[in-house]
Amino acid sequence: MEIQANEEEVVISEPPHLHLISAFLAMEPPDVLISFARECGGGLIGEKVQSFIWNHCISKTVENGGCQQGPYLKRVLKKLIGEIESDGVVVFDELYEHYAFIMTSLKDDSFPEGNSRVVKRISFLFPDECSELSSCPKSKKLEVSLQCSVNMLEGDTGCSIWPSCLFLSEFILSFPEIFFDKSCFEVGSGVGLVGICLAHVKASSVVLSDGDLSTLSNMRLNLESNLLSTRSDVPEHDKDSSTVQCIHLPWESATENELQNFAPDIVLGADVIYDPLYLPHLVQVLTGLLKRGTSYPNHGNDPCEGCQPDFRWIRSEVQNEGSKCDTTKGEVESCSAPCVEHEDHAFERGPVAYIASVIRNMETFNYFLELTKQANLIVNDITENSQPFNLLCYAKSYQRSSIRIFSISYM
Ligand SMILES: C[S@@+](CC[C@H](N)C(=O)[O-])C[C@H]1O[C@@H](n2cnc3c(N)ncnc32)[C@H](O)[C@@H]1O
């Protein structure tokens, strides 16, 4: 049976079809696609759903020259055809033919000439009530194209998309007022997604950094393919939120002077707390970025021992908003507005860092805490009180519940 040109009448901007396309573009595992496909078809992957998958997912990838996605398409088609056949439904010829084509052109699941790069498209889906989170009020999503590696260790781990950077991106997009018009500096930026989100919410300046050179060149490529400039020769007064600076900054060789020159309002980091060897250097870098030579005005709010100055404002905002907003922000349906609102006075006390992390090894994390204590940094776990919206609800392989977010400030 062949796919008809007079296509299905489905609303592609609504779930579950929207989730199916988004999951395909983000290269979610085939099982995830199958479950959305079944949802679209009321349990079966019938004619309409097959036609939808062909028109909106597979043929578009092929048209856009997505030969890098070959091994992924092969796995998706194999699973899809198997599921349709096991349901006793007729499989469209196009699906068989394309699978046969990939089978003959791609001998195994490996990438041509050792190239393990793929392009994932991450769609942040804004719920209706939160359309103000997107810069365009009509747009319900922000789509970011990221070249990344399927080999998690490539580029000193910086060429993969790690879950904490997805979480930190959701955090930025959920609380844009924190970052708007602020100078931001990220350590260990990897593929550059956090920088793209910072530019989207119009941070006044964005500097991304990494210690690995191949990661840095991949990061630049990603920024440019998302229409951001990485030129460093732009005069300061001509820089706007579409310019993102990418710098080589190995933590072990960064000097205090060099770091203090950046003087950012906000420091960010995602999945950077994992290697005990580099933790002392990382903490030194954070201290150098957060410490200022001057003291900050104190408006009679001296923090008591154990209290975190920079984040009391977030806590009180969340509590104040309690009546109109369910604080379990992951449940976007019940939310009418972002819970955390920006207040300028929070920054009068000095810069703050937001570090998102999966704690894989408690000993390593405790070592990080010990080092921060010695460096006079105050670390506060703000995960419970400042949950971002779940903007990646289709990404079933992304386990956001395993991620913590910390605020760090200099005492
Ligand atoms: C696990 S990856 C996380 C990447 C990205 N933040 C994310 O969440 O997707 C760790 C990142 O830190 C960088 N990194 C590791 N050690 C570093 C060091 N000593 N100096 C600078 N960057 C380093 C790596 O190159 C990599 O980009």
Side-chain angles (χ1 to χ4, degrees), residues 43-65:
L44 284 185
I45 307 176
E47 255 178 67
K48 272 190 175 177
V49 185
Q50 289 185 49
S51 148
F52 179 82
I53 294 175
W54 176 257
N55 290 330
H56 292 282
C57 302
I58 298 172
S59 71
K60 281 219 171 118
T61 304
V62 177
E63 269 166 35
N64 295 338

Side-chain angles (χ1 to χ4, degrees), residues 273-274 276 279 359-370:
I273 307 171
Y274 59 96
L279 286 186
I359 302 178
R360 298 185 179 89
N361 181 324
M362 208 54 214
E363 217 176 301
T364 306
F365 188 72
N366 283 336
Y367 179 43
F368 172 75
L369 288 183
E370 186 52 40

Side-chain angles (χ1 to χ4, degrees), residues 53-109:
I53 294 175
W54 176 257
N55 290 330
H56 292 282
C57 302
I58 298 172
S59 71
K60 281 219 171 118
T61 304
V62 177
E63 269 166 35
N64 295 338
C67 55
Q68 283 169 311
Q69 324 296 82
Y72 177 67
L73 274 185
K74 181 175 160 186
R75 284 192 292 126
V76 168
L77 281 165
K78 183 175 177 190
K79 179 83 189 161
L80 185 65
I81 291 170
E83 294 275 326
I84 302 171
E85 283 175 344
S86 71
D87 285 346
V89 175
V90 179
V91 180
F92 275 133
D93 293 345
E94 281 85 345
L95 298 181
Y96 275 136
E97 280 161 18
H98 198 67
Y99 184 55
F101 168 76
I102 294 182
M103 291 283 281
T104 48
S105 53
L106 204 73
K107 293 284 179 281
D108 51 31
D109 272 347

